[in-house]
Amino acid sequence: SLGAKVAAFEPAVSNFYLLLKNVDLNCLKYKVKLFPFVISEYTGLTLFVYKNLELGSTHGLYWGGNVQSFCYQYTLDDLLKGNYIKPPDVVLIDTDGNENAVLCGMSYIFLNCPPKAIQVECSVENLFNIKTWITGEYGYKVEKETVRDNPQFTNVLFVRK
């Protein structure tokens, strides 16, 4: 064990259930904190729209779908200030189009305890804005960029300069 601790956020009920099972099966209850809500740019109630109800499937926060439910959302800044999470060393963002909102909710973290690395999965149409923002505003550089199987999405690894 490297001593790493993980905070994982999953608002989709079916996927959260799978996370709980995996943490239990792998005896990780002291290494992984699970939070059943959305990470976004403000703390409060939000509408979550399910694109697909299959176990383990991708869900969408603002996508079209037949099933909707309200859920709570938090900023990472509010969770840190409330002592629910520790300052992160590494952040992985894979939010099906909500990456801008997650990054907006991290301004305190960026300024006071910036992560060593951030990996963002984002749409190609949003790529330029995210790269410009993280490299220009917060002092990161692009370490690696990988186009996904779906060419509409790319993974970008940012590291502190």
Side-chain angles (χ1 to χ4, degrees):
S1 166
L2 298 173
K5 297 209 176 175
V6 173
F9 306 92
E10 177 56 64
V13 175
S14 59
N15 287 349
F16 188 76
Y17 169 75
L18 291 176
L19 277 174
L20 286 170
K21 282 186 69 166
N22 276 304
V23 166
D24 183 50
L25 286 171
N26 291 291
C27 302
L28 296 172
K29 69 180 180 181
Y30 298 111
K31 297 252 183 216
V32 179
K33 273 187 176 182
L34 299 175
F35 297 89
F37 47 74
V38 172
I39 296 299
S40 198
E41 75 270 32
Y42 69 90
T43 295
L45 200 59
T46 191
L47 183 64
F48 189 84
V49 180
Y50 288 85
K51 180 180 175 190
N52 187 328
L53 294 175
E54 300 283 324
L55 276 175
S57 69
T58 301
H59 300 284
L61 183 56
Y62 303 117
W63 302 23
N66 294 329
V67 180
Q68 302 176 359
S69 68
F70 284 95
C71 68
Y72 219 71
Q73 68 181 23
Y74 289 87
T75 68
L76 287 175
D77 287 347
D78 285 345
L79 292 172
L80 178 71
K81 290 175 188 176
N83 292 317
Y84 296 104
I85 62 171
K86 294 184 187 279
D89 290 323
V90 177
V91 175
L92 170 64
I93 301 171
D94 180 357
T95 58
D96 299 332
N98 203 35
E99 48 277 341
N100 280 346
V102 172
L103 292 166
C104 282
M106 291 179 61
S107 58
Y108 177 86
I109 290 173
F110 278 125
L111 296 173
N112 294 285
C113 50
K116 294 174 186 167
I118 303 167
Q119 181 169 318
V120 181
E121 178 190 271
C122 64
S123 64
V124 173
E125 64 201 33
N126 209 8
L127 181 60
F128 177 78
N129 291 337
I130 287 178
K131 284 169 66 174
T132 302
W133 189 14
I134 294 177
T135 58
E137 292 283 323
Y138 296 117
Y140 287 81
K141 67 177 182 172
V142 174
E143 182 74 14
K144 185 175 183 181
E145 193 172 323
T146 308
V147 176
R148 301 271 319 271
D149 293 340
N150 178 344
Q152 295 178 344
F153 293 95
T154 219
N155 287 331
V156 183
L157 175 62
F158 300 91
V159 294
R160 292 284 294 168
K161 290 181 185 175

